[in-house]
Amino acid sequence: MLWAEHLARDRRRSVHTVRAYRASAERLTAFLGGHWGERIDRAALARVTAADLRAYLAQRRESGLGNASAARELSAVRGFLAWANAGAEQPRMRGPRVKAGVPRPISPAEAIALAEEVADVAAEPWIGARDWAVLLLLYGAGLRIGEAVALTGDVLPVGETIRVTGKRAKTRIVPVLPQVRAAIDAYVVQTPWPVVRAAPLFRGAKGGPLSPVMIRRSVQAARARLGLGERTTPHALRHSFATHLLGRGADLRALQELLGHASLSSTQVYTQVDAAHLMDVYRNAHPRA
C-alpha cells in the first residue's frame, strides 16, 4: 500500500505505527466499499464526509472499541484521507471524549493508547522508542516523571528491579515488568547517543539530558488528539499505577514503598480514589443504582 510506504519512507514512522495505520486505512476502505457498494479509489475517498466517519466509528465500536482507541482510529484515518486527497478540505468531526470530572485514574487501555500515540508521532523512531520507554516506566513501575528522566546508564542491563532515587534523595527498589524492560532495551538499541554509565539514560533530540517538559508537551498534544481529559498527565500514569495495584489487592505499606512516599497518609489517598471508582461502577451497572 502506498500509504504505508509514505509513512515508512517520508514520515519515518516505526514498523509498529506503519502496521497499525495501514490496518486502519484498510478497515476504512473495506467499510466504505460495503457502505457505498462500490470500489474505493482516491476519487471515492475525496467524497468521505463526517457522517461516513461517524458510521465507520459506530461499526468499530460494535467490536468493543473504547474512547481512546476510537480517537486513535479517527486520527489514523484522518491522516490517511489527508494523504489521499492532498490539499482537499477534510471532513470535520469531533473525536470521542472521556467524561470530565473529579480526578480519576485512566484505564489500562487509555494509558497504553496514550503512550502509543506519543510514540507514534515522534519526529524520529528512536525518539518514539524513548518516549514509549519513559511512559511505561511511569505506568508500569510507578515512577515520577523526574525520577524516570534522571535514570542513568547505571541501571543497564535492566533486571527484575531497578534502584530509583526519589524525593529528598531517598532511594527505593522498584520491580520492572518484562514489557518495561523490553521498551528500555529497544530504546538503547535505537538511540544515536552513547549510553554512559554515569550519564543520563534518556537523551533529548540534541543529545542533552531529556527534560520532563518535553514529555509533558507530548502527552498534552496526544491527549488532545485522543479526546482525553486535561488531567491526563504524565503523573496520572503513576496515579493509575497505584490505583490499579490497590484495586487488585496490593497492601498499602507495600504500595507506599513502591511509590516512595515518606508517610502512609500520602498513600492512603488512593483508597479514597478506589472507593470512588467502585461507586462509579456500581452506579453504572446496578439496576437500582
Side-chain angles (χ1 to χ4, degrees):
M1 179 183 259
L2 294 176
W3 165 235
E5 293 178 7
H6 164 72
L7 289 172
R9 182 187 63 248
D10 303 327
R11 301 293 300 279
R12 303 183 68 181
R13 297 307 187 206
S14 69
V15 173
H16 168 78
T17 300
V18 172
R19 183 170 58 248
Y21 277 38
R22 174 173 181 161
S24 294
E26 290 175 343
R27 283 192 293 266
L28 177 67
T29 53
F31 167 80
L32 292 173
H35 190 55
W36 291 343
E38 63 181 79
R39 180 178 177 275
I40 304 301
D41 54 17
R42 282 200 170 190
L45 291 173
R47 306 199 314 268
V48 174
T49 65
D52 294 322
L53 291 181
R54 280 194 291 271
Y56 170 66
L57 286 183
Q59 184 196 65
R60 294 285 290 130
R61 281 186 174 281
E62 290 178 359
S63 64
L65 208 65
N67 275 4
S69 296
R72 274 178 57 80
E73 185 83 353
L74 180 59
S75 176
V77 298
R78 275 175 171 166
F80 171 58
L81 292 174
W83 167 82
N85 303 288
E89 184 177 355
Q90 297 302 309
R92 296 185 178 183
M93 176 183 170
R94 177 176 293 181
R97 298 198 59 83
V98 175
K99 185 184 296 185
V102 297
R104 287 288 186 270
I106 62 177
S107 70
E110 289 169 346
I112 296 302
L114 180 71
E116 286 181 339
E117 180 69 14
V118 169
D120 285 350
V121 301
E124 299 284 347
W126 78 266
I127 294 178
R130 178 200 69 191
D131 294 351
W132 173 254
V134 170
L135 293 176
L136 282 197
L137 279 166
L138 273 54
Y139 178 64
L143 270 61
R144 302 177 177 93
I145 181 65
E147 295 170 345
V149 300
L151 292 176
T152 67
D154 289 320
V155 302
L156 300 177
V158 178
E160 294 186 352
T161 62
I162 57 173
R163 182 179 296 274
V164 177
T165 301
K167 292 183 177 180
R168 294 176 292 277
K170 182 180 178 181
T171 62
R172 66 185 189 277
I173 303 298
V174 177
V176 180
L177 295 170
Q179 297 91 327
V180 180
R181 289 201 299 272
I184 295 174
D185 291 343
Y187 159 72
V188 171
V189 169
Q190 295 181 57
T191 178
W193 308 105
V195 178
V196 181
R197 290 188 62 83
L201 173 62
F202 297 111
R203 304 293 191 96
K206 296 183 179 180
L210 175 62
S211 169
V213 173
M214 301 307 297
I215 298 296
R216 291 191 182 101
R217 287 177 180 171
S218 296
V219 167
Q220 183 177 11
R223 79 185 182 211
R225 291 190 296 271
L226 296 179
L228 297 172
E230 293 183 358
R231 295 185 183 276
T232 304
T233 63
H235 196 71
L237 295 177
R238 168 176 156 93
H239 181 71
S240 296
F241 164 84
T243 307
H244 297 160
L245 280 184
L246 189 63
R248 290 177 176 271
D251 176 75
L252 264 183
R253 286 290 183 186
L255 188 58
Q256 177 189 0
E257 290 296 321
L258 287 175
L259 294 173
H261 285 161
S263 66
L264 189 62
S265 61
S266 298
T267 313
Q268 286 174 330
V269 67
Y270 293 109
T271 63
Q272 301 170 22
V273 172
D274 194 56
H277 174 66
L278 289 175
M279 284 304 298
D280 282 347
V281 173
Y282 170 77
R283 293 190 187 100
N284 291 331
H286 198 285
R288 292 186 175 273

